[in-house]
Amino acid sequence: LQSYSGAFNVKNISQDQDLNLQVNDGGTNTTALTVQGTTANVGIGTSSPANTLHVNSGSDNNVARFESTDGGAVITLKDNTGAAAVANIGDNLYFKTSSSQTDRMTILSNGRVGIGTTSPSYMLDIGGGDFFVNGTNRDWGGAAGLGTHIGTGDFDIYSGVPGGGVHKLKFTNAG
């Protein structure tokens, strides 16, 4: 154990050797945290962490808890080109993209799912623009779908590929 200028350091000075934090669990010493000497990977509940952070809860399915003391908690995933996040606000779940954390999908506590809306009125509420659903029939090798057209708001049921398929039923925005 070392302390320099107010910083407290725990150090293993042997090259490429793990640093372990052990606790006495009912009379048995248990390794609670491992920092691998060769990779600097951190393991909680595992002495062989495979990633930068590896958490293993054993047979307990509650692996981790991230808690905030105010009305929301956010976990952000970031790479060198952008970011995405999962947020809990109240009992609702939000999926966000971009560094501005724009809401893209919402799951409310009542089970309603919103894509393009944060306040879905239906079990599945798609708002904010056009949508397209595509299904493939594996027996016949074709595709079928339904969707709205960008700009016109027309609604189509078709067979074949989007844009090149055959319209089977069309509802125009004009009525």
Side-chain angles (χ1 to χ4, degrees):
L1 301 177
Q2 296 177 334
S3 178
Y4 298 105
S5 304
F8 182 75
N9 299 301
V10 177
K11 189 176 188 180
N12 185 344
I13 59 173
S14 299
Q15 184 175 351
D16 294 337
Q17 297 300 307
D18 295 349
L19 178 65
N20 296 311
L21 174 66
Q22 293 188 333
V23 295
N24 188 314
D25 184 10
T28 303
N29 286 334
T30 303
T31 300
L33 184 133
T34 297
V35 180
Q36 276 187 335
T38 55
T39 64
N41 288 352
V42 175
I44 300 173
T46 179
S47 59
S48 304
N51 299 92
T52 303
L53 176 61
H54 182 159
V55 180
N56 183 342
S57 68
S59 61
D60 183 357
N61 292 329
N62 294 310
V63 177
R65 180 177 181 144
F66 299 91
E67 188 171 341
S68 172
T69 58
D70 66 3
V74 178
I75 298 172
T76 302
L77 307 170
K78 184 176 182 336
D79 65 12
N80 63 349
T81 61
V86 178
N88 166 245
I89 301 171
D91 287 333
N92 302 322
L93 185 62
Y94 298 88
F95 294 88
K96 302 167 174 282
T97 60
S98 76
S99 57
S100 65
Q101 299 295 298
T102 304
D103 292 324
R104 301 297 183 186
M105 186 170 83
T106 302
I107 302 174
L108 299 180
S109 61
N110 62 10
R112 293 180 178 166
V113 176
I115 299 173
T117 178
T118 57
S119 53
S121 299
Y122 309 97
M123 290 306 290
L124 176 60
D125 193 344
I126 301 173
D130 301 318
F131 74 94
F132 174 77
V133 178
N134 187 18
T136 300
N137 182 319
R138 293 187 299 179
D139 292 336
W140 296 341
L146 56 94
T148 61
H149 285 274
I150 298 172
T152 66
D154 294 348
F155 180 79
D156 283 329
I157 299 175
Y158 70 92
S159 63
V161 296
V166 178
H167 291 97
K168 298 297 183 181
L169 183 61
K170 181 182 201 89
F171 298 94
T172 66
N173 195 22

